[in-house]
Amino acid sequence: MSDPALPFATAIDHIGIAVDDLDAAAEQYRNLLGAGPVHRERVESQGVEEVLFRVGDSYVQLLGALGPETAVGKFLAKRGEGMHHVAYRVDDVAAALDTLRGAGVRLVDETPRPGSRGTTIAFVHPSAFRGVLVELVQEG
Ligand code: V0V
Ligand code: CO
């Protein structure tokens, strides 16, 4: 079914977790993971503030909503705190989007956009991945 010459992704970049209180959640995760956050950033275009923890070559991304009408704000109101998305690291987001589009997968973003840490990202609709919202992340 899959072509080993064409791996979809090179790693799990991060797991996004929606939280009500970013400061409290960051403190709790610092104690649980035994290490402090490596990054904090407001991404106005996505309506979030994030706190990142490093785990191996991947991150845990705590997400606070910048308002009730944002993606994470609506998620929190509907479902409460919990896992919000899985982000796959890819070499080329635009190419990965083309591949998925060609496979008939429903996209959220038709074109790549800026993420945190200077990354380029795009979201794929949860219906394509069995109820899990998927993000594609290109570093650098
Ligand atoms: C909503 N649904 C989800 C979901 N959010 N399912 C799984 N995971 C999620 N995160 C379901 C919801 O339960 C409904 O299911 C259905 O989708 C429609 O829900 P809705 O509340 O009406 O939401 P929509 O359709 O307005 O928006 C859902 C999408 C939206 C996924 C399209 O959240 C979106 O555009 N997300 C992409 C942007 C984003 O999430 N940004 C924040 C992270 P039923 O009830 O119909 O079954 S920013 C980030 O990660 C950054 C910056 C980074 O990493 O660098
Ligand atoms: Co993310």
Side-chain angles (χ1 to χ4, degrees), residues 14 43 46 48 50 61 63 71-72 74-75 78-79 83-85 87 108-109 114-117 119 121 123 125-126 131-133 135 137:
H14 64 267
V43 185
Q46 292 288 340
V48 295
E50 69 160 24
Q61 178 184 59
L63 292 165
V72 171
K74 287 204 283 181
F75 179 92
K78 247 188 196 172
R79 299 191 174 200
M83 210 190 77
H84 181 261
H85 63 271
V108 172
D109 295 319
S116 68
R117 293 175 282 138
T119 59
I121 65 174
F123 283 90
H125 198 269
V132 177
L133 176 63
E135 178 184 346
V137 182

Side-chain angles (χ1 to χ4, degrees), residues 2-19:
S2 64
D3 182 350
L6 294 169
F8 169 68
T10 56
I12 298 294
D13 185 85
H14 64 267
I15 305 287
I17 299 169
V19 303

